[in-house]
Structure formats: C-alpha cells, structure tokens
Amino acid sequence: MAEPVAVAKMDKIVALCKRRGFIFQSSEIYGGLNGAWDYGPLGVELKRNLKDYWWKCMTQLRDDIVGFDGSILMNRAVWKASGHEATFSDPMVECLLTKKRYRADQIEPQSGTVFPFEGIIEAPGADAHEEVKKLWETEVGASVTKFTVNSTSLLSLFKPLSFAVIVPEGKGIESATKIARQFYDARGYKNYKPVVGEKYSELATTKFNPENGSMLGEPRVFNLMLKTYVGAVESEDSITYLRPETAQAMFVQFKNVLDVSQKKLPFGIAQIGKAFRNEINPRNFTFRSREFEQMELEFFVKPGTGPEWLDKWLEERLAWYEQVGIPRAKIHILTVPEKDRAFYSQGTYDLEYEFPFGIQELEGIAHRGNYDLTQHQNASGKPLEYFDEETKTKYLAEVVEPSAGVDRTVLAILCEGYDEETIKDEESGKEETRVVLRFAPRIAPIKAAIFPLLKNKPELVAIAKDIYKTLQPLLKVAYADTAAIGRRYRRMDEVGTPFGITIDFETIEGTKEACTSATGKPIAVGEKDTVTLRHRDSMKQERIAIADLPAYLLTKVS
RNA sequence: GCGGGCGUAGUUCAAUGGUAGAACGGUAGCCUUCCAAGCUACACACGAGGGUUCGAUUCCCUCCGCCCGCUCCA
C-alpha cells in the first residue's frame, strides 16, 4: 500500500506544510500531542476557503438548505438516544497467542475442556531483579532503576506465566499442548507444563479465542468518545461528551429549524464544525485526528424517496470536489455493502481519494432513514414529525447525509496539488526542481502576489504598493520586494499562489511590443500602466492593464 | 494497543564522554531590467525527564513524538 515513493512524497508534503506555515504539530514545543494539529497562516486560509465554498454551495446557491451551528457540548441524553454511548465504547479483548484484537461482544461462545498451563524461566534466585541489577552495575558500570525487555519488566519474566487452552470435548491434552507450546515459545519460555489435575469443563464461555482455543486477555474498554464534565464539580451526574459528529444537533433541533425557515420537504440543514473521537490509532498526518472538522448536511426527504436523493447527492458531491481541485478520476466511489454499513444505514456511498498512503475516505453519503428522528422523538417524548400540507398526513422524514471531513479534504487538496518539476535553465543548462502547489484558484490561500521588479527603483515600488492597496480589500494578496524576481515567483509557486503581478519598466515607460492582454484586449506599443501577469502552472507571462486587474482576478478566483 | 524502525538548525546531512559544523533555506543591507544569480552580516538544533559521570548530544532507563506493518475505525 504505502510504497517508498509515496512515503517520500508524503514526507515532503508534511515538511512543506511546516516550512511554509500550512500545518504544525499541536503543542510542538512540548513534544506534541498525538492526533492533534494546528493550522498556520496559510493553512487556515486554505481551510477557510474550502469551508466557505462548501457553505456557499450549500446555503447560498441553493434554496432548499439552511445553515446551522450547534454547540459541541450537548445533554448526555442526546448521546444515549443516538446510540453513541452504547456503541461508541467497545470492550475489546486480545488473543494472547496471536495478539489479534476482537470486540468482546462478538466472541462466539464455545464449550469444551480447559487445560491450564504454567511456565517459568529458570529463576536465578529469590530476588531475581536485584541480582540482575547488581550484575549489570558491576559489569556495565551503570546504575539502573528498572529493567524492561520489550516493555516487559524483567522481573515479571521470573514469575510463573499462566496460560490456558480450551479444546472441544473429546480432544485431549495433546492439542492443547500444541497451542501452549506456541505461546511459551514466542515468549522465550523453555519450561512450561500443564497444571496437574486442574483441567475443567466450560459451557458457552467467551474467555477463549474460537479460532485457536487460546486464552483471551482481560476485556479493555475503548472509549471512542471524549468524556468531559459540565460544571465545576466532577460527578457522575455532570458527565457528557465532546460530540463525535456534528449531525446530532441538527436532528435534535430539527423541529426548531423547520418552524422558523418556512421550508417544505425536501430540505436540508448544513453545519460545519469540530468533532472529537478517541481514535485508537491516529496516523497519516492529519488524516486520522482526534479533533477534526466536519462539513455535514442533513437533507430531509419524504418517506420512500431516500434512495433517489442518495444518488442525487452523490453526483452533487462529486461535482463539488472537482470544483475544489480534486478530479473525479481520483475519487473512488465505494458502495458500502450492507454488512459493513452502520446499523441505521439503508445505503451508503463512501467517496475515497487516492492518498499517497492509500485509498481513504473523504466523505460518506448515507441514507439514514428516519432512525435519528425516531430515536430522538422516542427519547425526548417530543414530536418531531413533519405535517405534509398536500396529503394532510404526519410522518417522520427520512434523511440523506453527505458528511465530509474538512481536514481530510484539505489534505487531499495538498496531496493532489503537490508537484515537482525539473526546470532547465536555458543559459547555464543547470537543472533545478520547482515545487508547486497547483491549487484551484478559488481555494488558494493567496490569490495573487504583487512584485516590483526591482526594489531599489522607487517609481516601481510606488506603483506596486498602490496596486497592492487597491487589490487588498477585494481578495487575499501578498506583496514581496525582497530577493530576485525569479526567487519570488518560486516562493509563491510553493504556496500555490496562482497569479504573480510584476511592475516593470514597461509599466512606466510604455509597452515595447504590441500584444494581446490577458483579458483579450489589444495593447499598443507605448501603452503605459500595464504589468506582467505570470501564471503559476505554466510560468507563462503576459501583459495586462492595471485597470483590468480587479475584474480579471475576481473572475478567475470566484 | 502490539511488533519493528527512528528522533542533531526550517530541510538534508556531519562530528563528539569536555555543551556542536556544513550546505540549502530564512532575515537585513548592497547589488540586480523577469524564473531559487552575486557579495556582506545576522539568527536558528542535540524531543523531554531521570540515572551513571568531575563533565552526557554521545552510555543506561522512562516518557513523548514520528514512520512502517498489524489492529481499530459511525
């Protein structure tokens, strides 16, 4: 899956993100925090542009969706009703032989005979730890407080290690010994033996792995929601959770939103916000984080129309990704099979992107039926039904939910945009690498950079600053006058700025050759007040009248 | 959570039981008429804590973080 080349690419992207201020590790000066990331000056612009565009597409360009911003903290009852409290904390058990982990509630009960074993590594004395410690200090000349071997306390190796195997009724100790041998061999135990006379029968036990009969470890609870306390006093009564998804507030407030927005079904509620999950294993840069941001739409439809809306939203969302620079060809549409779907789902599409570290989910589009409204109506005792004026009937709406990960999409955009080009200098023949982020202009953090060709020519600087000030209220622009012009172009390539605007001598002295401007208008010889417009992707340059810049740029970045 | 690998400027890499160098990058100045030019100066690192030692970036332990493979994933 993760080829060395892909790993190298990912490392470069991570380094670029830090170097140019897109993404930093959270709490970095304290050694970081697993699964949390900060967005720097450019990252926050990129992320904000992405969210703003989603928000605009949902709530401004459509008549059938309204916006919403729910709180992160909600009454604990919400999480009981939604099913999160019950299903978002899984007791897991580990097979002691294979180290594989299983959900404790999914272990198949089995019956048979249990053979306990005991193993020891020959103990050198009553207090082995002290002896080894003394030996170590004499031989190595360093003092130690505690020994570990692969995170196992050395001392524990001198304690008898218990193990047990279950075998079906009728099978003997031979098959149990086979498993036990594997167990003890893996741990370097030379001496182990069955506990004499201690075999016993078990009926429908879940303490052993059905696949191999090996004893399972103690169940451990994995809390996938982050627990917190509301109020200054920590008590059982004040427990709630940081929301693991933004969706629930929209379901819970369905009635209020409906009452105030004069909407009829089908209509949607859109929200962008943070969510929190205690991911067991955060990994792949920002991809799997414990704190992350979602863009969620709950689109409520008439009963029975969920499937067709599911397909409509699939198309809508694919088109949207194209508009932010992720081509359709790079998105894999996974029709989630029923056995893999969440229990409430009546149909789910996963939109997956080809990240360097593998094909991974960006967005899930789920037909949740009326599960959520049903749960909250029952739990709260408040009616959440919709009154259909046409048919004069009351019913619970079904919902189709396109739920996108903001951070994941930002990461996909960074991966998709990252490019390295080998450039050959025509004069010297030297080859060099150009790093460029080919962002779609509408989400680029900086839309255009304004450069005076030379900074020690006041007449160029004055015009450049003037253009900068003119454009600044209209769109995010940068001004740079340090270093040679080529270097300034490359710096801007590296952060994905689509346009460079250079004020040169032709700006004040008049154009030397007649040409066609970027807007298509002709530019005559001697025409003043034009500038060089340099394009990020092609590095091509053309001229454009200063007066045409605002309109031209706004068209290109909208 | 398990197994393996790793941790020295922003990046890539050195050196060392006596508190660290370079290149590129960055900042400032000079210079420069369109793609990382040149000159000068400056700033910036041993992930954290503990132990051994006269002295630790170096040896030992622990923790944290990153990468890879499992596992997990509403």
Side-chain angles (χ1 to χ4, degrees):
Chain A
M1 179 165 78
E3 303 295 325
V5 176
V7 172
K9 180 182 174 183
M10 205 57 220
D11 287 347
K12 284 179 184 174
I13 291 169
V14 174
L16 176 63
C17 281
K18 181 178 183 186
R19 180 158 48 88
R20 300 308 306 268
F22 284 95
I23 298 169
F24 307 120
Q25 188 179 20
S26 169
S27 325
E28 192 191 76
I29 63 169
Y30 288 104
L33 177 69
N34 199 224
W37 303 90
D38 295 338
Y39 286 80
L42 290 178
V44 69
E45 295 291 340
L46 176 63
K47 188 175 180 181
R48 195 171 289 257
N49 289 344
L50 186 77
K51 289 192 288 182
D52 286 351
Y53 188 62
W54 186 90
W55 191 252
K56 183 178 177 184
C57 290
M58 290 296 177
T59 68
Q60 185 181 332
L61 300 178
R62 295 185 66 113
D63 300 320
D64 56 357
I65 298 176
V66 295
F68 182 78
D69 186 26
S71 65
I72 288 170
L73 297 172
M74 283 185 269
N75 192 306
R76 184 182 183 180
V78 170
W79 306 114
K80 289 184 173 172
S82 68
H84 282 86
E85 195 174 270
T87 62
F88 229 63
S89 59
D90 300 334
M92 308 289 292
V93 288
E94 195 176 81
C95 172
L96 294 178
L97 184 64
T98 61
K99 300 251 169 90
K100 275 195 184 176
R101 196 188 287 154
Y102 303 89
R103 277 181 54 170
D105 57 349
Q106 289 178 353
I107 297 291
E108 288 215 11
Q110 55 183 331
S111 306
T113 310
V114 177
F115 292 94
F117 289 84
E118 193 168 84
I120 51 162
I121 284 181
E122 285 189 51
D127 197 340
H129 188 269
E130 282 307 312
E131 285 194 18
V132 174
K133 188 177 161 186
K134 262 186 212 153
L135 190 67
W136 184 271
E137 284 170 359
T138 317
E139 296 288 318
V140 183
S143 96
V144 285
T145 47
K146 197 171 124 191
F147 282 100
T148 58
V149 176
N150 293 336
S151 302
T152 308
S153 160
L154 195 59
L155 185 56
S156 75
L157 292 177
F158 298 111
K159 286 180 182 163
L161 181 64
S162 299
F163 185 61
V165 184
I166 193 168
V167 296
E169 217 62 61
K171 284 213 171 186
I173 194 166
E174 302 76 28
S175 46
T177 308
K178 219 167 117 183
I179 299 293
R181 185 187 306 132
Q182 290 174 36
F183 174 83
Y184 285 109
D185 281 356
R187 286 161 179 76
Y189 279 68
K190 296 279 184 284
N191 300 308
Y192 59 92
K193 57 179 191 296
V195 180
V196 181
E198 289 291 329
K199 72 170 182 179
Y200 57 95
S201 292
E202 277 273 17
L203 276 175
T205 177
T206 56
K207 290 178 181 163
F208 299 87
N209 186 347
E211 285 172 27
N212 56 23
S214 164
M215 190 164 85
L216 296 167
E218 285 297 309
R220 297 180 50 127
V221 175
F222 287 72
N223 292 307
L224 270 24
M225 285 199 290
L226 281 91
K227 190 185 279 185
T228 190
Y229 298 90
V230 172
V233 179
E234 289 187 13
S235 75
E236 185 65 18
D237 294 338
S238 61
I239 289 174
T240 191
Y241 306 92
L242 303 186
R243 66 182 178 198
E245 62 175 21
T246 58
Q248 293 305 322
M250 293 185 272
F251 296 130
V252 168
Q253 295 286 18
F254 171 76
K255 199 72 178 167
N256 277 336
V257 175
L258 182 66
D259 286 348
V260 299
S261 51
Q262 294 95 39
K263 296 290 179 200
K264 291 188 167 58
L265 289 185
F267 90 103
I269 306 177
Q271 177 173 208
I272 299 175
K274 294 259 187 170
F276 305 82
R277 289 181 196 174
N278 249 329
E279 295 290 348
I280 292 169
N281 192 355
R283 204 166 278 195
N284 289 328
F285 199 26
T286 58
F287 183 82
R288 179 159 291 144
S289 301
R290 293 204 164 103
E291 174 176 344
F292 57 100
E293 203 158 9
Q294 294 182 305
M295 304 184 284
E296 286 195 310
L297 168 67
E298 304 304 333
F299 198 75
F300 298 95
V301 303
K302 295 184 180 183
T305 62
E308 67 191 74
W309 279 104
L310 184 66
D311 287 349
K312 278 188 199 170
W313 276 108
L314 173 64
E315 288 306 316
E316 285 283 326
R317 298 301 302 147
L318 286 167
W320 187 85
Y321 282 106
E322 189 110 39
Q323 287 159 19
V324 297
I326 302 174
R328 193 165 178 149
K330 289 296 216 39
I331 293 185
H332 296 238
I333 303 162
L334 177 70
T335 305
V336 183
E338 189 172 355
K339 67 177 171 58
D340 293 338
R341 289 202 296 260
F343 60 88
Y344 53 74
S345 171
Q346 299 182 19
T348 300
Y349 294 117
D350 280 353
L351 304 191
E352 301 179 318
Y353 173 75
E354 290 175 24
F355 286 98
F357 46 80
I359 298 172
Q360 299 277 352
E361 181 182 347
L362 284 182
E363 168 160 352
I365 308 173
H367 172 19
R368 300 173 71 124
N370 62 17
Y371 170 77
D372 302 278
L373 290 179
T374 302
Q375 290 297 106
H376 289 303
Q377 174 168 282
N378 291 346
S380 68
K382 303 289 192 314
L384 297 177
E385 288 164 314
Y386 174 81
F387 179 70
D388 193 320
E389 311 256 2
E390 279 176 46
T391 61
K392 307 291 181 202
T393 53
K394 265 198 216 169
Y395 50 76
L396 282 169
E398 293 183 355
V399 69
V400 171
E401 177 198 75
S403 170
V406 179
D407 309 86
R408 289 178 173 191
T409 306
V410 168
L411 186 57
I413 284 168
L414 284 164
C415 293
E416 183 64 28
Y418 185 87
D419 195 19
E420 290 177 10
E421 281 185 343
T422 304
I423 306 276
K424 197 168 180 180
D425 184 72
E426 284 170 19
E427 283 170 32
S428 67
K430 264 204 304 197
E431 287 199 344
E432 63 193 13
T433 303
R434 180 173 86 115
V435 173
V436 51
L437 288 175
R438 303 186 191 278
F439 294 146
R442 65 163 54 91
I443 51 136
I446 301 170
K447 308 301 186 186
I450 323 299
F451 310 120
L453 181 60
L454 298 175
K455 82 165 165 185
N456 58 357
K457 296 287 186 286
E459 58 275 36
L460 298 183
V461 171
I463 298 172
K465 286 193 168 157
D466 195 43
I467 292 173
Y468 174 65
K469 283 293 164 194
T470 304
L471 293 176
Q472 196 172 36
L474 304 175
L475 68 181
K476 183 78 181 173
V477 285
Y479 176 88
D481 61 9
T482 59
I485 189 69
R487 179 180 291 268
R488 281 178 274 165
Y489 284 151
R490 296 298 176 82
R491 280 181 192 156
M492 282 295 149
D493 289 341
E494 209 177 41
V495 297
T497 306
F499 302 104
I501 292 159
T502 303
I503 292 74
D504 51 33
F505 291 92
E506 289 184 63
T507 306
I508 47 180
E509 292 166 3
T511 308
K512 285 179 184 153
E513 283 178 39
C515 60
T516 306
S517 91
T519 60
K521 280 196 253 174
I523 293 178
V525 174
E527 188 171 329
K528 294 181 180 174
D529 297 326
T530 65
V531 292
T532 299
L533 179 72
R534 186 264 192 186
H535 297 272
R536 175 197 67 198
D537 292 341
S538 62
M539 298 196 288
K540 292 241 169 67
Q541 300 185 167
E542 50 189 344
R543 296 202 73 75
I544 184 170
I546 293 171
D548 291 339
L549 276 173
Y552 176 85
L553 291 172
L554 286 172
T555 309
K556 293 289 180 184
V557 305
S558 65

